[in-house]
Amino acid sequence: MSAALLMNGQPFPRLIFGTSGLGNLFTAVDYQEKYNIVEACIAHSPGLTVFDSAGKYGAGLALETLGTVLKELGTSPGNIVISNKLGWYRTELKTPEPTFEPGVWKALKHDAVQRISYNGIIECFEQGNELLGAYLPQLVSVHDPDEYLAKAKDEKHWMQLYDDILQAYQALFDLKAKGLVAAVGVGAKDWTILKRISQDINLDWMMIANSLTVFTHPPALLQFIAEQSSKGVHIINSAVYHSGFLLGSEYFDYRKLDPSRQEDKPYFEWREKFNNLCESNGIRPVEACLQFGLNVPGVKSVAVNTTKANRVKENYDLVNKEIPHSFWDQMKAEGLMK
């Protein structure tokens, strides 16, 4: 596959839309606002509108909501591309709150369990299609393989879990061979797991989450991205705001930080220096974060999530925002960037 990923005969856009907000990440969003978000994404897209979703997002709520809104809007499937990251399966909610990522997802009516295996991925794929209705995913991947491997009790157990992941990829490539999906990729927060998987699997695309931001961008990761891009893998960067923390949120990568805790203080100190530097240069933090995440050599697209419809157009405007080189030089001089 070439570096320019084509979908429905059109080039893959630089900006794609995450849908975790449709699944009530951190806050319960009312349906009308979700409707307005999806409508705005389509209205402001110059070409294809790409939505990145997953069965994990709200235990299928994001997929369900996306499919419902697209149907109500009467959207042509040919103008929409959906990425469904597979590995989490909706189940009955038997506890006061979901058992996966407690405290993160709000007002859910279902729970979800991880199913990473050949059959498990097929089940997740079929359930996701049911939730989406007429709008089927063209991009698929194994979601959170890093978290799955983190459950390993020892090296032998790790290898067993890794074999589950390889079997899951066999399922995905079988779906591709049957023409049911167009491209197979991977999404994870721990980029070293992406590197391991890429050694065994020829991926079409790769989503890097929480790892490649203005806050953190290790040289080894930069080199890995350049290598993958040179092989034709379409690199998507996501979570460039670290769950919104860099823009003022209390959460950093799904964890709520407390400025009174000693281990959390460095995060707040970095953010304060970053905000001050942005202000002195007349640059908004959101502009700096998105532009850095989008312009790392090898990155082709960036995924952003919002719970406010009026921010969708702003996200498109941010893609075209130019940040002067002098700002990045100041960031390095202040020790905020390497």
Side-chain angles (χ1 to χ4, degrees), residues 164-181:
D164 290 341
I165 293 172
L166 295 181
Q167 293 299 317
Y169 271 104
Q170 183 61 56
L172 295 183
F173 279 102
D174 284 351
L175 292 174
K176 182 180 178 182
K178 294 175 182 178
L180 297 176
V181 299

Side-chain angles (χ1 to χ4, degrees), residues 187-206:
K189 303 176 183 69
D190 182 352
W191 72 270
T192 63
I193 299 303
L194 298 179
K195 184 175 182 179
R196 173 59 190 269
I197 290 173
S198 69
Q199 293 171 353
D200 296 316
I201 304 292
N202 292 321
L203 299 163
D204 297 320
W205 61 274
M206 181 180 295

Side-chain angles (χ1 to χ4, degrees), residues 182-231:
V184 175
V186 64
K189 303 176 183 69
D190 182 352
W191 72 270
T192 63
I193 299 303
L194 298 179
K195 184 175 182 179
R196 173 59 190 269
I197 290 173
S198 69
Q199 293 171 353
D200 296 316
I201 304 292
N202 292 321
L203 299 163
D204 297 320
W205 61 274
M206 181 180 295
M207 176 173 281
I208 299 167
N210 302 337
S211 304
L212 184 61
T213 71
V214 68
F215 180 81
T216 178
H217 42 273
L221 173 56
L222 298 178
Q223 180 180 350
F224 171 65
I225 290 170
E227 292 171 350
Q228 290 299 303
S229 180
S230 69
K231 295 178 181 178

